[in-house]
Amino acid sequence: MPRPSWDEYFMDITVRVAQRATCLRRKVGAILVKNKKILTTGYNGAPAGLVHCEEVGCLRDRLGVPPGERHELCRGTHGEQNAIIQAASFGVSIKGATLYSTHFPCVLCTKMLINAGVKRVVYLEGYPDDLAEAIIREAGIEVCHITPGGPLAAGSELDKRNDTNDMKPDIRTETQKGRRR
C-alpha cells in the first residue's frame, strides 16, 4: 500500500473525528494542522455537558429549516467552531494553520477561521452557503476540495504522488486560491 500524502493522511483522521459527531443531519469532523502537526480536533454536537441531539431530536428538522440557513436555531456547535474553541481553551495559536474538514465551512465558521488567521481549508463535501464561499475567497484563503476520483490540480501535493491505492478510492484535489483586497 503506498504511503498517503499529507492531505490524505489528515483527511483520513478528519473523517474518523466526524464519527464522534452527535448531529442528526450530518456528521462533521474538523482538525487544525500546522507544520504537519495536529493542533486541535472538533466535531459537531451539543455543547459540553448538554443533552445530545441524538437524545432530544433535531430542532431544525422540527421547524423545517433548510441546510445553510438560520444557524442560530441549532443546539449544536459546529466541528470547525469546536476545533477553534479547543485551541483557545489550551492557548494554542492556529494562525497560519490549515483546516481539514469533512464539509465546507458555513459563513459563521468561515468568519471565525478568517479572524483566527487560518490560511488553507481542505474539505470533502460542499455546503449550501454562497456567502461563505464568497468571503473565504475574498480573504485569500486557499481552498482545496478533495473528491474521490476527481481531477487533480496541477502541482498539488496529490498530483505529485501519481500513484494509486486499490484499498480505497483515489483522492484527488482541486485548488482555488482567493485574493486579498
Side-chain angles (χ1 to χ4, degrees), residues 139-152:
I141 293 176
E142 180 182 352
V143 175
C144 298
H145 180 201
I146 295 179
T147 59
L152 289 172

Side-chain angles (χ1 to χ4, degrees), residues 153-174:
S156 71
E157 184 171 333
L158 295 173
D159 183 35
K160 294 172 191 168
R161 280 198 55 219
N162 195 23
D163 61 20
T164 60
N165 180 348
D166 295 331
M167 299 303 286
K168 64 180 182 176
D170 240 356
I171 297 177
R172 311 285 180 159
T173 185
E174 293 179 12

Side-chain angles (χ1 to χ4, degrees), residues 34-122:
K34 191 172 178 181
N35 299 323
K36 300 179 184 171
K37 305 287 185 261
I38 296 172
L39 302 175
T40 63
T41 66
Y43 52 87
N44 59 331
L50 298 186
V51 177
H52 295 295
C53 299
E54 293 171 327
E55 299 171 52
V56 297
C58 178
L59 175 62
R60 294 172 61 80
D61 279 346
R62 282 197 304 273
L63 297 175
V65 178
E69 298 179 15
R70 305 289 314 270
H71 298 289
E72 75 279 8
L73 295 176
C74 179
R75 61 185 288 113
T77 305
H78 292 187
E80 302 94 330
Q81 293 169 341
N82 278 325
I84 293 167
I85 292 165
Q86 187 180 84
S89 294
F90 291 105
V92 175
S93 172
I94 58 174
K95 186 174 184 173
T98 294
L99 171 80
Y100 289 86
S101 181
T102 54
H103 294 74
F104 192 87
C106 74
V107 69
L108 298 175
C109 293
T110 296
K111 291 185 284 187
M112 295 172 83
L113 294 165
I114 291 167
N115 283 348
V118 170
K119 296 298 180 199
R120 184 170 182 249
V121 171
V122 181

Side-chain angles (χ1 to χ4, degrees), residues 21-41:
T22 59
C23 178
L24 299 174
R25 284 190 164 193
R26 66 177 41 110
K27 307 290 185 195
V28 177
I31 65 171
L32 287 161
V33 175
K34 191 172 178 181
N35 299 323
K36 300 179 184 171
K37 305 287 185 261
I38 296 172
L39 302 175
T40 63
T41 66

Side-chain angles (χ1 to χ4, degrees), residues 5-25:
S5 72
W6 286 109
D7 281 344
E8 289 172 315
Y9 172 73
F10 290 124
M11 191 54 77
D12 285 347
I13 294 168
T14 304
V15 169
R16 184 64 167 176
V17 169
Q19 292 175 342
R20 295 274 311 148
T22 59
C23 178
L24 299 174
R25 284 190 164 193

